Amino acid sequence: MWAPVICAGIWFGFILYWVTGSIPKDRIYEIYAGCGIGICLTLLLFGLFGWYQPHEDSPPLQTLQVAGTALYWASVVLVLLSILELGRRGKPEGFVERTTILIDRGLFGVIRHPLYLGVALWSLGLVLKIQLVLPAMLGIVAFGCSWAASKKEDEFNVEKFGEGYQEYMTMVPAWNVLKGLGRRLFRGRGEL
């Protein structure tokens, strides 16, 4: 029982050390994002190495495991497509997430934070797959970290891009894919 808790502590320590030492203080959303990703990696490692053993009296529900696996893989695709689009359209300086222009096309024309949504769905998928209390608590924290990261990044981007980003925020929802697709399709705004 203590192995997962110790491992999670190591990941949290690693992520916090890495994030706080490598970014400016005005980019607090990086800390939230780093913690969310660290927790997801912890959940993934625990699942891969079988550190979470279901109780014999309550085996995991197969339907939830299938849904969790589907959500997990969908989130992986969402994250990869987001990274590719940031690199291709954002003209980044250094790391792919440090874009120099506002992206309002493709995935970013449907939702503002596909990368953070992907990490949040990744944690949810792992929680559904593992189906135990400790992973569920970690997954909820990872989900919350991703949400907080997206909110803090909105604040940062308003400072960075000004009125253009404020207008973008009114046109494109943060995470609501259905609302974003509906707005995109009914307004007829170019490519998806």
Side-chain angles (χ1 to χ4, degrees):
M1 172 64 184
W2 286 103
V5 174
I6 291 169
C7 237
I10 291 169
W11 270 103
F12 281 123
F14 170 76
I15 294 298
L16 287 175
Y17 173 78
W18 169 70
V19 167
T20 56
S22 66
I23 59 169
K25 297 211 183 295
D26 65 340
R27 301 200 57 179
I28 192 75
Y29 66 88
E30 296 276 358
I31 295 171
Y32 289 124
C35 289
I37 292 168
I39 293 168
C40 285
L41 291 173
T42 301
L43 289 172
L44 181 63
L45 286 175
F46 290 170
L48 288 174
F49 293 111
W51 292 340
Y52 292 128
Q53 297 300 321
H55 196 273
E56 294 173 8
D57 295 337
S58 59
L61 298 172
Q62 289 287 352
T63 306
L64 290 180
Q65 285 188 322
V66 169
T69 300
L71 198 54
Y72 170 80
W73 285 110
S75 68
V76 167
V77 169
L78 185 60
V79 166
L80 290 176
L81 290 175
S82 299
I83 290 171
L84 289 172
E85 198 158 335
L86 284 168
R88 186 171 59 110
R89 295 178 193 240
K91 301 193 186 320
E93 291 178 345
F95 186 67
V96 72
E97 197 176 45
R98 294 196 171 99
T99 59
T100 58
I101 62 170
L102 176 61
I103 306 169
D104 62 357
R105 301 254 183 251
L107 283 174
F108 292 89
V110 176
I111 53 174
R112 290 194 311 269
H113 303 292
L115 191 59
Y116 295 131
L117 177 60
V119 172
L121 294 177
W122 183 22
S123 67
L124 183 58
L126 289 169
V127 166
L128 291 174
K129 186 149 178 57
I130 298 170
Q131 297 179 32
L132 292 171
V133 174
L134 181 59
M137 291 187 309
L138 288 172
I140 290 168
V141 171
F143 194 95
C145 284
S146 295
W147 179 255
S150 67
K151 289 299 180 189
K152 287 294 183 185
E153 188 168 2
D154 277 340
E155 293 172 14
F156 174 77
N157 285 335
V158 165
E159 289 178 26
K160 183 177 179 180
F161 296 113
E163 286 182 29
Y165 194 82
Q166 288 177 327
E167 182 180 333
Y168 172 66
M169 287 175 63
T170 63
M171 304 282 285
V172 179
W175 282 14
N176 190 335
V177 176
L178 296 176
K179 185 176 181 181
L181 282 172
R183 285 184 176 181
R184 187 82 174 177
L185 293 173
F186 289 116
R187 288 190 184 167
R189 290 195 57 212
E191 65 179 276
L192 283 175

